[in-house]
Amino acid sequence: MIGVFSDTHGDLDAFDAAYELLRAKGARRFLFTGARYTDLDEWVLWRRKKSRGGREYSDADFLADVTQWLVAAPQDGLARTPASREAPADLASEDDRRLVMERFVRVPERDSLAYRDPTVANKAMDLVGETLCCVVHDKNDLVRDDLLNALVFIHGKESEPAVVQIGPRYFVTPGRLVGAAEQTCGLLEKAERNLSFSAFRLDGHLVLPPRVLQVDSRSTKLTVK
């Protein structure tokens, strides 16, 4: 399962609540579609500080992190698969911090510094099962090549969660965590050979029942409009 949320606008409590809700529902990876791009970094620092009881990061913490990383590093030289186990509940150690960052795919919004940084992609491609998905904050940033290459487009900047089908393509949004009547986030998961998307309020209430995205080319019946 993949957790999807957007538009936190500096509200780290909302970011944290969305992460915990989606993690509890089984999400092992996360798509953060921006607004604010830097909220991921600030949330990680905020969570680490909370886990240390609010005290600042010390030299002793650094040495403990290095020691734990060396002990936990794979001895066979192979990289660990980020989604091979549950998403960490605690970000106290450097090892868990790295693991959490590896679980996230994020994209910047237009008014962020990252959007103007040539080293940061404004869109990201992510493979879910056998389906290529394009992640972007503003769907108006999509160009012809994006539409030709992907079947599912996951975006933010919308007040409510929704699944919109245009021909064989699907446009999926989790809604907003800040600036909307309800704070919502979503789950994207495999459904046999297709995908399914659902959305929830932060209290866990289901606001968008699972919608099947009929992406399997072997299927001819469209069920989402």
Side-chain angles (χ1 to χ4, degrees):
M1 290 187 186
I2 298 177
V4 186
F5 56 97
S6 184
D7 295 272
T8 49
H9 294 285
D11 190 335
L12 300 185
D13 286 313
F15 194 113
D16 191 61
Y19 175 81
E20 288 299 336
L21 173 67
L22 296 171
R23 186 181 69 84
K25 290 186 176 295
R28 295 193 172 191
R29 295 198 297 121
F30 301 87
L31 304 179
F32 176 50
T33 68
R36 290 182 333 184
Y37 181 81
T38 56
D39 280 354
L40 172 59
D41 306 285
E42 294 182 14
W43 169 73
V44 167
L45 292 174
W46 177 73
R47 280 289 295 261
R48 295 197 71 189
K49 189 172 182 179
K50 278 185 65 176
S51 70
R52 295 192 298 268
R55 62 184 175 81
E56 296 298 326
Y57 192 67
S58 67
D59 291 341
D61 292 320
F62 172 76
L63 291 174
D65 283 343
V66 171
T67 301
Q68 181 171 357
W69 182 82
L70 291 173
V71 171
Q75 301 302 312
D76 55 9
L78 299 176
R80 289 174 299 172
T81 303
S84 62
R85 63 184 190 198
E86 293 181 359
D90 186 6
L91 278 67
S93 72
E94 175 63 16
D95 190 53
D96 281 341
R97 184 201 68 81
R98 287 189 306 104
L99 184 57
V100 167
M101 294 297 287
E102 289 171 358
R103 300 293 181 96
F104 272 86
V105 172
R106 61 172 164 171
V107 289
E109 63 282 1
R110 286 187 183 184
D111 59 355
S112 69
L113 293 175
Y115 189 90
R116 297 187 288 275
D117 186 340
T119 66
V120 177
N122 294 337
K123 287 163 278 191
M125 292 294 182
D126 196 70
L127 195 63
V128 182
E130 298 180 356
T131 302
L132 187 62
C133 301
C134 180
V135 184
V136 64
H137 177 249
D138 187 346
K139 62 180 181 296
N140 291 319
D141 281 343
L142 296 171
V143 297
R144 177 181 173 83
D145 284 348
D146 300 323
L147 297 172
L148 291 175
N149 290 330
L151 280 179
V152 177
F153 301 86
I154 302 161
H155 63 93
K157 206 179 177 181
E158 297 292 342
S159 59
E160 298 178 356
V163 174
V164 176
Q165 181 183 356
I166 301 178
R169 298 174 181 85
Y170 293 89
F171 296 81
V172 176
T173 179
R176 297 178 181 176
L177 286 174
V178 171
E182 293 186 314
Q183 296 174 291
T184 56
C185 53
L187 272 179
L188 183 67
E189 54 190 309
K190 290 188 289 185
E192 296 182 350
R193 294 191 296 265
N194 295 298
L195 300 178
S196 174
F197 181 77
S198 54
F200 306 84
R201 289 196 316 235
L202 289 184
D203 61 5
H205 177 74
L206 181 68
V207 294
L208 182 68
R211 301 282 183 89
V212 175
L213 315 185
Q214 208 87 40
V215 294
D216 180 24
S217 60
R218 290 167 290 186
S219 177
T220 58
K221 183 180 179 182
L222 300 179
T223 59
V224 180
K225 297 182 180 180

